[in-house]
Amino acid sequence: MFRKMRRKKQELSKEESINILINEPRGVLALTGDYNYPYPIPMSHVYVDGKLYFHGAKTGHKNDAVKNNPKASYCVVTNGILNDDGWSYKFKSVIIFGEIKILNDSEEKIDKLTYLGNKFFPSHDYTVDEIKRLLDKTEVYELTIKHITGKYVEEK
């Protein structure tokens, strides 16, 4: 169903791709938006048990897009390393295809928000406080990975 990578020599292992998802904080979530236009959104994510999790508001373009079409893609790009030529970079990227849904169970939402908060906030106590304060206003999105590819790029 999914295309094989054309430049096989540049393909990263699944383990290295997952490591990038674990360690990089952000990517771009692509959904089908209004009138079937692509809707890419910069997002913070957390990788837990083979899935990606995001948070957001309970209303808006992203929420509507998820409800209208569960198919999604997510792309993460590392910062890269500047080459000796002073203008080109070496970097790695990961692209995911999958299906996204909104979590409804409060305990599951709190669990995944705790992972998200602990990745980004300065302390676990801060995470707990923010979840208590914002849980009723927050949606949690779960992206089930159907296909993943990683790639090493050296610009020239």
Side-chain angles (χ1 to χ4, degrees):
M1 172 188 231
F2 297 100
R3 294 180 185 212
K4 294 187 187 288
M5 186 175 290
R6 193 172 50 87
R7 295 189 169 181
K8 284 298 228 181
K9 291 180 183 176
Q10 293 174 266
E11 188 171 13
L12 302 177
S13 69
K14 184 175 180 180
E15 293 75 25
E16 189 169 2
S17 296
I18 289 170
N19 192 47
I20 290 169
L21 293 176
I22 290 168
N23 291 302
E24 291 295 324
R26 288 170 207 82
V28 176
L29 176 65
L31 303 168
T32 303
D34 294 345
Y35 306 102
N36 290 320
Y37 278 99
Y39 181 56
I41 316 134
M43 298 290 297
S44 299
H45 69 271
V46 68
Y47 179 87
V48 180
D49 298 329
K51 297 180 180 182
L52 286 174
Y53 294 90
F54 314 92
H55 77 288
K58 288 191 172 246
T59 61
H61 197 165
K62 175 176 56 195
N63 195 279
D64 292 343
V66 168
K67 289 176 181 174
N68 289 330
N69 187 344
K71 291 184 179 176
S73 184
Y74 192 64
C75 178
V76 175
V77 180
T78 63
N79 284 334
I81 299 168
L82 184 62
N83 286 320
D84 292 338
D85 60 18
W87 64 270
S88 64
Y89 282 82
K90 298 174 193 163
F91 63 91
K92 296 174 183 176
S93 64
V94 175
I95 296 178
I96 290 171
F97 294 93
E99 293 191 10
I100 193 166
K101 69 177 185 178
I102 297 169
L103 298 182
N104 293 312
D105 180 74
S106 291
E107 287 183 34
E108 192 175 17
K109 282 177 65 173
I110 291 168
D111 181 57
K112 299 315 185 248
L113 286 170
T114 300
Y115 280 106
L116 271 163
N118 288 343
K119 182 174 180 179
F120 295 99
F121 292 144
S123 71
H124 179 70
D125 289 340
Y126 192 94
T127 296
V128 171
D129 290 344
E130 286 297 289
I131 292 171
K132 284 180 188 174
R133 189 171 72 82
L134 296 169
L135 182 63
D136 293 337
K137 299 176 184 177
T138 304
E139 211 71 277
V140 178
Y141 302 92
E142 176 185 86
L143 179 59
T144 300
I145 299 169
K146 302 290 185 182
H147 184 70
I148 181 171
T149 57
K151 185 176 183 180
Y152 171 78
V153 175
E154 187 166 347
E155 298 175 327
K156 292 189 181 185

